[in-house]
Amino acid sequence: MTLYYEVHGPADGPSVLLSSGLGGSANFWAPQRQALVDAGFRVVGYDQRGTGRSPGTLAAPYSIAHMAQDVLEVLDATHTAACHFIGHALGGLAGLQLALDAPGRVSSLVLANAWARPNPHSARCFDARLTLLDASGPRAYVEAQPIFLYPAAWAAEHAGQVQAEVDHAFAHFPDQGTMRARIAALRAFDVSDRLAGITVPVLVSAAQDDTLVPWTCSQLLADRLPKATLDLMPHGGHAHTVTETAAFNAAMLKFLAAYR
């Protein structure tokens, strides 16, 4: 097993797997992990390949399908027959791919600010971030990251927390080639014509003030997935799992309670 993973909660509880966004770290889900354990779930987290505690060389060309295969590796290593999959942004794409490639391993999906196909606004954001990385390096890249993650007022109010996250991201920044490959994979992802084939229950969660991914991408998911419920929040930004933890957790736990 080449990927870092961790398991929390009761061994006999329904299994939930948490998959983070571009940062790749299991720690992104700290605001949800304890709430899930307290609700009786067995929680599996992992660091995505090439990030954090899962160093490694990515396949070329790298794709979301490779990320879904990594999830299968984690499920096998943790003896998890099937899971409720919770993914944020890039992590949500891996969940959609997993539900298409190995439907028997997915009991339900929770997708936070995810998408089914590329859109021009997100492409513009990633172009700007990559240009910043190329011109000024990783420090400038991570200093700009909160602009895309958090609403301005929240980021100002939590300036110390935000700066600590930036410093941590810089200290653990992956190889630049790895970062570019991961961004290229999410930019190439398009399953918009296959969504009808995903028949598990899905909670689609989005914040309408997301700066990076238009909330209408979540609307498309909800419209085309056969068993989807759309939960829209007016505020929270791209990382509304962090900024609106109580509201997100309440919706997540209500959804999971119906299918556990």
Side-chain angles (χ1 to χ4, degrees):
M1 180 66 181
T2 58
L3 296 173
Y4 170 85
Y5 64 86
E6 55 193 35
V7 181
H8 305 268
D12 59 349
S15 292
V16 170
L17 184 133
L18 303 173
S19 186
S20 74
L22 188 57
S25 173
N27 290 331
F28 174 81
W29 295 104
Q32 283 69 51
R33 188 166 51 222
Q34 192 60 49
L36 288 162
V37 170
D38 290 345
F41 289 96
R42 172 180 178 264
V43 181
V44 180
Y46 73 110
D47 286 0
Q48 293 169 6
R49 190 175 302 278
T51 73
R53 295 157 288 187
S54 294
T57 302
L58 305 185
Y62 195 54
S63 69
I64 300 298
H66 290 113
M67 298 185 195
Q69 186 61 44
D70 282 343
V71 175
L72 286 175
E73 185 176 329
V74 172
L75 293 177
D76 290 343
T78 57
H79 307 289
T80 306
C83 68
H84 299 282
F85 186 103
I86 302 178
H88 174 257
L90 170 63
L93 311 192
L96 288 166
Q97 189 71 54
L98 181 67
L100 290 166
D101 293 347
R105 308 299 294 272
V106 179
S107 302
S108 72
L109 289 168
V110 177
L111 307 174
N113 288 332
W115 61 93
R117 65 186 182 196
N119 76 84
H121 174 76
S122 296
R124 183 184 301 275
C125 292
F126 282 114
D127 283 342
R129 295 173 76 177
L130 287 170
T131 298
L132 190 60
L133 181 61
D134 290 340
S136 301
R139 184 82 220 189
Y141 178 94
V142 297
E143 288 288 353
Q145 187 165 280
I147 298 170
F148 298 98
L149 288 179
Y150 303 128
W154 188 93
E157 184 178 352
H158 298 82
Q161 175 183 337
V162 171
Q163 190 59 51
E165 290 176 0
V166 166
D167 292 341
H168 184 270
F170 177 65
H172 297 86
F173 198 79
D175 174 80
Q176 290 192 35
T178 294
M179 179 63 77
R180 291 187 180 91
R182 285 168 58 75
I183 291 175
L186 68 83
R187 295 184 70 170
F189 182 75
D190 187 346
V191 293
S192 54
D193 62 349
R194 302 179 65 192
L195 294 177
I198 298 175
T199 58
V200 297
V202 183
L203 175 64
V204 181
S205 178
Q208 291 179 295
D209 63 347
D210 186 343
T211 301
L212 180 60
V213 180
W215 69 268
T216 47
C217 294
S218 290
Q219 181 72 67
L220 183 147
L221 285 169
D223 288 345
R224 296 192 183 182
L225 288 163
K227 296 181 181 178
T229 300
L230 179 63
D231 180 51
L232 288 179
M233 298 183 189
H235 305 294
H238 187 61
H240 72 283
T241 57
V242 175
T243 62
E244 296 290 342
T245 297
F248 177 82
N249 285 3
M252 171 189 70
L253 292 172
K254 180 180 178 181
F255 171 80
L256 291 175
Y259 300 105
R260 61 184 298 160

